Amino acid sequence: MIKKLIPLTLLCLVVFFSCSTVRFVQKEGTVLKVIDLINSGDAGRLAGISGSPFLLDGEIIMMPGDMKQFWEKAAEKGFVLTRPEVLGITPVDGNTYTLFSPYEEVKMFFEKYVPSDAVVVRVSSSAGDVLLLLYGRNEGYPYILGFKGI
């Protein structure tokens, strides 16, 4: 009986670890890591975890180089989210695009580029509230697909 369980257990482990559909759950701690990265002004790392295309305040940014420039300019201008508080983490659905823009092109962005396991995070800070569109992980950070000041 034990001899049969060992191969079965190994097979289950191989299937589990090779499965590409394992979802990453975004938690407050991972969100705060992204905010710490924004506050540090590390434009290179932020550009590396920013999706391409990227949704910025309702506008679709297609070029990865433009994202690096955005994060560099934000750091130069002293943009930081001091005293951040995660107000909510909400899975995306068919109407989430309206949080960023009511326009059809943003709806199509969500349909084409936003994975079903993405979330919208609302963060409050002394600089104001922002929305972050996040999914998965890359080097310990969630991918950032969108950003909007509200």
Side-chain angles (χ1 to χ4, degrees), residues 9 30 36 54 72-73 80 99 112 122 129 132 146 149:
T9 302
T30 57
D36 286 344
F54 188 90
E72 286 171 347
K73 293 291 182 192
V80 293
L99 295 172
K112 188 171 182 176
R122 184 173 181 152
D129 289 3
L132 297 169

Side-chain angles (χ1 to χ4, degrees), residues 66-111:
D66 291 344
M67 286 316 305
K68 185 170 186 215
Q69 187 175 27
F70 165 73
W71 292 120
E72 286 171 347
K73 293 291 182 192
E76 283 175 21
K77 298 291 182 186
F79 178 76
V80 293
L81 297 168
T82 53
R83 295 189 303 277
E85 181 182 347
V86 176
L87 299 178
I89 301 174
T90 308
V92 296
D93 64 26
N95 293 317
T96 302
Y97 76 95
T98 61
L99 295 172
F100 289 84
S101 171
Y103 297 115
E104 192 67 25
E105 68 180 346
V106 173
K107 181 179 181 182
M108 289 172 45
F109 171 87
F110 271 80
E111 290 171 354

